[in-house]
Amino acid sequence: VLRTATGGVRISHVSPDGEAAHAGLLVGDEVLAAQGVLLESAKQAARVVRAADGVLSLTVADDKAQIVLDKAAGEVGLTVTNVEGAHGAKSEGVRVCGIAAGGVAAKAGVELGHVIHSVNGVLVHDHRRAIEIVNAASRHVRLVVQQSTRPQVVVINPWSG
């Protein structure tokens, strides 16, 4: 979990079969509050989550979408650049600065200006690393991209399943 420039924390790992994944959380999602408490650090987030008695209520910035690219359908056609973090902090993703017309990324809905926070479940802070992960993928590439800024509440209940 990483602190974000806007307050809150960014999810750095989601177990594929865990309750967070079942609730729809993605690597790269920004959690603004947990149990009604505004989050300001990863340590604070961990304390609030550990203290939760069974059901965990998170307020998540609802500005992310997962886009899956199929490299078998052609050239990905995606150019990205680093996003500068506030006050010299580590960047929070890479920005799409180029899209090839007719490329796989364009057809899948990736747009200029989107910020990619994770590629195949790995947080990316550098354009070189993002491209390395895309190139290493044998076929499918899962991108978590930022699109808008609307908060949403996600409830994780380990006893519901």
Side-chain angles (χ1 to χ4, degrees), residues 20-147:
H22 293 292
L25 293 174
L26 301 169
V27 170
D29 276 346
E30 182 178 11
V31 180
L32 305 172
Q35 304 300 75
V37 176
L38 292 176
L39 299 177
E40 297 179 9
S41 72
K43 283 184 180 181
Q44 179 196 23
R47 278 194 308 272
V48 173
V49 169
R50 277 194 302 272
D53 188 22
V55 176
L56 178 62
S57 176
L58 303 175
T59 303
V60 180
D62 184 23
D63 60 352
K64 304 288 179 303
Q66 182 169 252
I67 298 176
V68 179
L69 309 178
D70 185 352
K71 291 172 62 174
E75 183 180 339
V76 171
L78 183 63
T79 305
V80 296
T81 187
N82 291 343
V83 173
E84 297 300 322
H87 309 293
K90 188 183 262 189
S91 74
E92 295 183 12
V94 295
R95 185 173 315 280
V96 176
C97 61
I99 300 276
V104 172
K107 290 178 183 175
V110 178
E111 298 177 6
L112 288 175
H114 275 171
V115 174
I116 299 171
H117 288 284
S118 71
V119 180
N120 285 349
V122 177
L123 282 176
V124 291
H125 306 288
D126 178 80
H127 70 281
R128 287 182 213 82
R129 180 69 176 134
I131 296 304
E132 178 181 290
I133 297 167
V134 169
N135 289 340
S138 59
R139 181 165 178 179
H140 292 104
V141 178
R142 288 177 293 111
L143 306 175
V144 174
V145 299
Q146 180 175 340
Q147 298 178 311

